[in-house]
Amino acid sequence: MSDEDTFDHFLTKVGFGRWQLFPLATTLLVSAPVAFRCFPDALPSDGVPHLLPYREGNDSSNSSQVYYNSQCLEPHNLSVTLEASDIPRGSARHKTSMSSCPIIEYDTSIFSSTVVSEYDLVCEDLPLQPFYQMMFNVGEILGSFIGGHIGDRWGRRKAVQIGCIANILSVLGTALVPVYPFILVMRFITGCTCVGTLIPAWNLVLESTPSKRRSLVGMLSGLPYSVGVGAFAGVAYCIRTWRYLLLVCSSPVLILIPLSFIVDESPRWLVQQGRAEEATTVLQKAVRLNNVKLSENVYSIVNNIIEASKRKNQVKSEAPTSSGLVEFFHQLSLYVRSPSMRTILLVTSLLWFLQSGLFLGVAINANNFTSTNPFLYVALTGLMDGIAVLVTTPVTPYLGRRTIVGLGLFGGSVLLFLDLLVSTDYYWAKWILVMAGFLMVAGAFQVNLVFAPELFPTEARSRGFAFVNMMGSIGFIFAPLVTTMVARYAWWAAGVTFGCSGIVGGFMVIFLPETNNQPLPETLQDVEDRAQRSRQRGVANKAYENGETDIKV
């Protein structure tokens, strides 16, 4: 296939302009509410200082100071009574069904209502606390498959439409039904629809952007998440009840629903499906909105691209035309047998598992790091994430995807290890180390959001990106377990676990091909050709270092 017959070549002629604003706006609105979904353990679903207030030493004659130490009292101490003046303002005691904590009281000075305080997820029910976050992450796994499958089979636009409507229904169910098991089911569905919408939306904007602008657009598309994190901290500071906070932070989806019916389908996907007339209609609109004058007929160009793609598309020609399930497993076997694709699948899956656990683990660790001002912690993580996007965006085209991802994960993990060595007396140094480490990890994560889809061919990009997102979701599942349960047994457990994850992930990037300023692969054969060119460049560079000049690439 010549350069003239590639979709990237034609998209370069179309350029970047008003036509791309709609898919870009769709991706931005999908990304912004994700911030709230990732931080329930940091603010509205984490435990508040709690349990029956007692006087220092459990002796009513010793002191008048009341403590919330989040520890169960021994049964013989439950008879301690307090005067009304001893109870902190805004708090309330009530009875529970737990034998270990029959009487409980929460400190409502930070939040008037959280998932934990409403359903008493403490004491013997403490193991149920991480499930609020974990069910969302489990839903992400299914959502990765569903969103990827619908995006590849029915189109990116259709997947976004279905995901938006299902997402808003699940959010309403979470906020309105006062039954914790039902809330967990709704959290599962929310996670499923959230990722099921994000993957096709991300592919939609990347596939509609010329290769020279793809890095810039892909990187800046992460800014809404950063803004959303900061906005979430501000909104949570004003709204201290978790149900109202959930509804307010999910409101951007209401704008996204009508927008998903206005945005055009990915023309690259339409071309890959052989739907020439629909692709021509979309591209003619793109030419008109971007004020581009072409000497050739758009329909003829599209047909030439489709025919050239068919000639080279060995996977499609070998695939049987039987049931979708048989075709799926046949294509999967072809990918597994491909050395280059097999390496990509193995490395990206482990890399996303490690980086996701590291990213979310640091982000939701606010209540372990600082119990006095979790709002500031969350706001600073949003600021660091935004700075990471702004810094890595201009640097990535020069350093490449692999360098940024590898250095970000490795450097951020080293800073987290250094935090463990600093005494709590130097709290300002701990703040600097944690936030600087998160900045580097966030930069690596953002670049990887662009890097991962570029590794897969168009014919399976949504499913490939869905697969690595699924592995990331598994990493997200383990993060709250580490910060909520493991951290209670060893103060260093969270830092060491997340630090090791980043270091291992940083070293794994070297096994992936560089995609910076490269055309997107359309077929499995394109992936193999890219690997072959990479090997040839490596041989040529080595020969050049040895003084040989007659090596051709």
Side-chain angles (χ1 to χ4, degrees):
M1 183 189 299
S2 66
D3 289 340
E4 296 292 332
D5 291 332
T6 63
F7 187 85
D8 273 302
H9 179 78
F10 177 68
L11 201 58
T12 300
K13 292 182 178 180
V14 174
F16 187 85
R18 288 189 299 165
W19 176 68
Q20 280 89 355
L21 293 180
F22 286 102
L24 183 60
T26 301
T27 304
L28 300 185
L29 287 174
V30 170
S31 301
V34 174
F36 171 70
R37 312 296 203 280
C38 291
F39 280 85
D41 274 0
L43 291 180
S45 77
D46 196 63
V48 292
H50 61 272
L51 301 190
L52 181 65
Y54 66 98
R55 298 178 188 279
E56 188 173 9
N58 291 335
D59 186 349
S60 60
S61 64
N62 291 340
S63 172
S64 60
Q65 186 172 4
V66 176
Y67 290 90
Y68 290 91
N69 70 337
S70 300
Q71 295 179 359
C72 296
L73 296 178
E74 295 296 329
H76 65 271
N77 287 328
L78 292 176
S79 60
V80 176
T81 59
L82 297 173
E83 299 295 334
S85 60
D86 293 328
I87 301 176
R89 185 177 182 180
S91 62
R93 278 184 289 172
H94 64 274
K95 294 182 179 180
T96 73
S97 59
M98 297 180 291
S99 59
S100 61
C101 303
I103 303 175
I104 199 170
E105 178 175 332
Y106 295 94
D107 177 8
T108 56
S109 61
I110 297 180
F111 275 102
S112 58
S113 173
T114 70
V115 176
V116 173
S117 63
E118 182 170 332
Y119 296 102
D120 295 328
L121 304 180
V122 294
C123 297
E124 61 201 61
D125 288 340
L126 178 65
L128 297 177
Q129 189 180 126
F131 277 85
Y132 186 81
Q133 174 67 37
M134 290 172 61
M135 290 303 293
F136 175 83
N137 300 133
V138 173
E140 286 183 318
I141 298 176
L142 181 60
S144 297
F145 282 111
I146 294 177
H149 179 74
I150 295 178
D152 280 340
R153 195 164 187 85
W154 295 346
R156 298 12 175 169
R157 181 169 175 259
K158 181 71 69 176
V160 172
Q161 292 170 352
I162 296 174
C164 290
I165 296 174
N167 182 266
I168 198 66
L169 293 176
S170 65
V171 169
L172 290 174
T174 304
L176 299 179
V177 179
V179 180
Y180 188 61
F182 182 83
I183 288 177
L184 294 182
V185 174
M186 290 296 101
R187 284 288 292 173
F188 172 83
I189 298 175
T190 301
C192 181
T193 57
C194 189
V195 175
T197 305
L198 180 62
I199 291 173
W202 200 269
N203 285 329
L204 179 62
V205 70
L206 290 181
E207 292 177 353
S208 302
T209 304
S211 57
K212 290 185 178 180
R213 300 281 187 137
R214 195 182 305 130
S215 177
L216 176 64
V217 171
M219 295 293 295
L220 293 181
S221 296
L223 274 180
Y225 174 85
S226 308
V227 175
V229 173
F232 169 56
V235 174
Y237 182 82
C238 300
I239 303 176
R240 305 297 181 92
T241 303
W242 75 273
R243 292 182 186 273
Y244 295 139
L245 182 61
L246 171 64
L247 292 174
V248 171
C249 292
S250 301
S251 58
V253 181
L254 297 176
I255 305 175
L256 182 60
I257 291 176
L259 182 60
S260 66
F261 286 87
I262 298 174
V263 69
D264 293 317
E265 180 57 84
S266 166
R268 185 187 295 269
W269 178 81
L270 291 172
V271 168
Q272 185 65 36
Q273 297 296 309
R275 294 157 65 169
E277 293 184 1
E278 295 175 65
T280 301
T281 301
V282 173
L283 290 173
Q284 285 176 338
K285 179 180 179 181
V287 170
R288 185 176 68 255
L289 291 178
N290 288 1
N291 293 321
V292 177
K293 295 184 184 281
L294 298 176
S295 58
E296 305 165 271
N297 181 271
V298 175
Y299 184 77
S300 299
I301 296 175
V302 170
N303 272 304
N304 290 337
I305 295 174
I306 292 176
E307 290 302 319
S309 178
K310 285 181 178 179
R311 288 194 299 268
K312 192 174 182 180
N313 193 344
Q314 296 179 356
V315 175
K316 289 292 183 181
S317 62
E318 295 177 10
T321 57
S322 53
S323 68
L325 186 62
V326 173
E327 181 181 350
F328 169 77
F329 282 108
H330 177 78
Q331 189 176 46
L332 179 62
S333 67
L334 292 173
Y335 277 39
V336 172
R337 290 201 301 266
S338 166
S340 300
M341 205 68 234
R342 186 167 59 243
T343 300
I344 290 173
L345 289 171
L346 292 174
V347 174
T348 53
S349 60
L350 181 57
L351 177 61
W352 273 70
F353 171 79
L354 296 173
Q355 77 161 13
S356 298
L358 172 60
F359 179 84
L360 185 62
V362 178
I364 67 176
N365 208 31
N367 287 282
N368 289 332
F369 186 74
T370 169
S371 60
T372 58
N373 200 341
F375 304 104
L376 177 61
Y377 183 94
V378 172
L380 284 178
T381 56
L383 177 62
M384 294 300 105
D385 191 77
I387 293 175
V389 173
L390 295 176
V391 170
T392 54
T393 297
V395 173
T396 301
Y398 300 98
L399 296 182
R401 311 323 192 210
R402 293 195 308 175
T403 302
I404 298 294
V405 174
L407 290 179
L409 293 176
F410 184 83
S413 299
V414 170
L415 293 177
L416 293 178
F417 274 121
L418 292 177
D419 168 64
L420 299 177
L421 304 178
V422 177
S423 170
T424 54
D425 295 333
Y426 300 97
Y427 65 92
W428 54 270
K430 295 181 72 67
W431 273 90
I432 292 174
L433 289 172
V434 170
M435 289 300 148
F438 183 78
L439 186 148
M440 298 188 71
V441 171
F445 196 105
Q446 182 61 38
V447 174
N448 220 353
L449 284 171
V450 180
F451 186 31
E454 293 177 340
L455 294 170
F456 295 91
T458 300
E459 62 191 15
R461 183 165 297 116
S462 280
R463 280 171 285 182
F465 192 33
F467 173 71
V468 298
N469 267 275
M470 178 199 71
M471 297 304 299
S473 298
I474 297 176
F476 284 150
I477 291 174
F478 281 92
L481 289 176
V482 175
T483 58
T484 303
M485 304 299 295
V486 179
R488 294 179 181 270
Y489 298 99
W491 65 270
W492 46 264
V496 170
T497 301
F498 297 136
C500 291
S501 299
I503 290 176
V504 174
F507 280 111
M508 295 211 58
V509 181
I510 62 177
F511 296 102
L512 296 175
E514 180 58 71
T515 61
N516 189 37
N517 292 326
Q518 299 293 321
L520 288 177
E522 302 292 343
T523 67
L524 179 60
Q525 185 60 45
D526 291 338
V527 175
E528 291 293 342
D529 292 343
R530 180 179 59 189
Q532 180 65 25
R533 290 193 299 269
S534 178
R535 286 191 293 267
Q536 290 175 347
R537 282 194 297 268
V539 172
N541 291 336
K542 186 175 181 180
Y544 180 79
E545 293 174 359
N546 294 332
E548 301 176 20
T549 59
D550 57 345
I551 302 296
K552 294 182 180 181
V553 179

